Amino acid sequence: MYNIFVRANAVFFYWTTVIFFLSMGCSITSFFFQSNPQVSLQLNKFEELSYVASYNAENALFSLDIDADLTSLFNWNVKQLFVWVAAEYRTKTYAKNQVILWDYVVEDVDEAHILLKDEKLKYELTSFEKELRNREINLTLSWDIMPVVGLLKIQGGQSSNNRQITLPKKYVKLPS
């Protein structure tokens, strides 16, 4: 009646159940973890606002100073952080435009203090509607917390992580 396969099955599913409930406990307790990240996002210099005829669009290029201490976000259930800077602006064509300009993956707590000066954009700010001139743009540093076990947590984007800039009225290209 109780052969080796029945006993192996019982042991396997017992430990599977134990691991499931321990994982759920780890996931649930991480929601009560309080963090206080410190973020500073500044426009370093504006480099270019130009019309690119080859693909009939406007481009804006600038560099940022990023000082983000995200070490307090790490706990027992954090595998990595995905950090990004997004630009958000309104146009006549669309009420809300969002573009990711820069991103970074933080895999360890030792890498979680991001201190970058004169960081060039990883991705250009491009508008095919040609509505970037004299546009107010809100830059926001945000992050996703990717857990070891549980749900992805999207955080950041608080008012302290924002910086508002206004693009020039005319096309410009500054010497590098």
Side-chain angles (χ1 to χ4, degrees):
M1 181 169 163
Y2 293 109
N3 63 22
I4 190 74
F5 297 113
V6 173
R7 291 179 189 213
N9 187 35
V11 169
F12 174 77
F13 281 102
Y14 171 77
W15 284 110
T16 303
T17 305
V18 169
I19 290 171
F20 172 77
F21 282 107
L22 288 175
S23 299
M24 291 304 295
C26 178
S27 177
I28 291 170
T29 57
S30 67
F31 282 105
F32 299 109
F33 182 78
Q34 297 295 320
S35 62
N36 186 23
Q38 303 296 318
V39 174
S40 172
L41 181 63
Q42 301 289 331
L43 175 68
N44 183 307
K45 68 181 171 193
F46 187 82
E47 295 175 11
E48 178 181 340
L49 176 63
S50 61
Y51 173 74
V52 182
S54 61
Y55 55 93
N56 194 24
E58 289 179 330
N59 267 0
L61 294 172
F62 46 89
S63 62
L64 301 170
D65 289 340
I66 302 170
D67 183 4
D69 186 5
L70 306 176
T71 54
S72 66
L73 295 172
F74 276 86
N75 62 38
W76 54 90
N77 194 29
V78 175
K79 181 176 182 179
Q80 65 184 16
L81 302 175
F82 179 71
V83 183
W84 72 91
V85 174
E88 185 175 318
Y89 58 97
R90 296 175 155 285
T91 60
K92 294 175 188 168
T93 309
Y94 300 105
K96 186 176 186 180
N97 297 277
Q98 289 183 313
V99 180
I100 292 180
L101 302 174
W102 176 88
D103 62 16
Y104 183 68
V105 175
V106 179
E107 294 180 342
D108 191 48
V109 69
D110 297 332
E111 303 171 3
H113 191 171
I114 302 167
L115 184 59
L116 301 169
K117 298 288 182 198
D118 196 25
E119 178 72 10
K120 304 244 188 272
L121 300 181
K122 207 176 206 182
Y123 314 105
E124 296 175 347
L125 178 57
T126 303
S127 171
F128 292 100
E129 290 79 30
K130 297 178 280 302
E131 297 181 11
L132 285 180
R133 285 176 287 172
N134 200 29
R135 185 73 50 209
E136 286 188 359
I137 295 178
N138 191 32
L139 300 174
T140 306
L141 187 123
S142 302
W143 54 86
D144 288 343
I145 299 175
M146 297 176 193
V148 176
V149 173
L151 300 174
L152 177 73
K153 291 187 248 177
I154 299 173
Q155 293 185 341
Q158 293 91 358
S159 60
S160 63
N161 304 351
N162 293 347
R163 177 67 51 207
Q164 191 162 8
I165 63 171
T166 303
L167 295 179
K169 294 179 182 180
K170 297 181 180 180
Y171 293 131
V172 293
K173 182 167 184 157
L174 301 176
S176 335

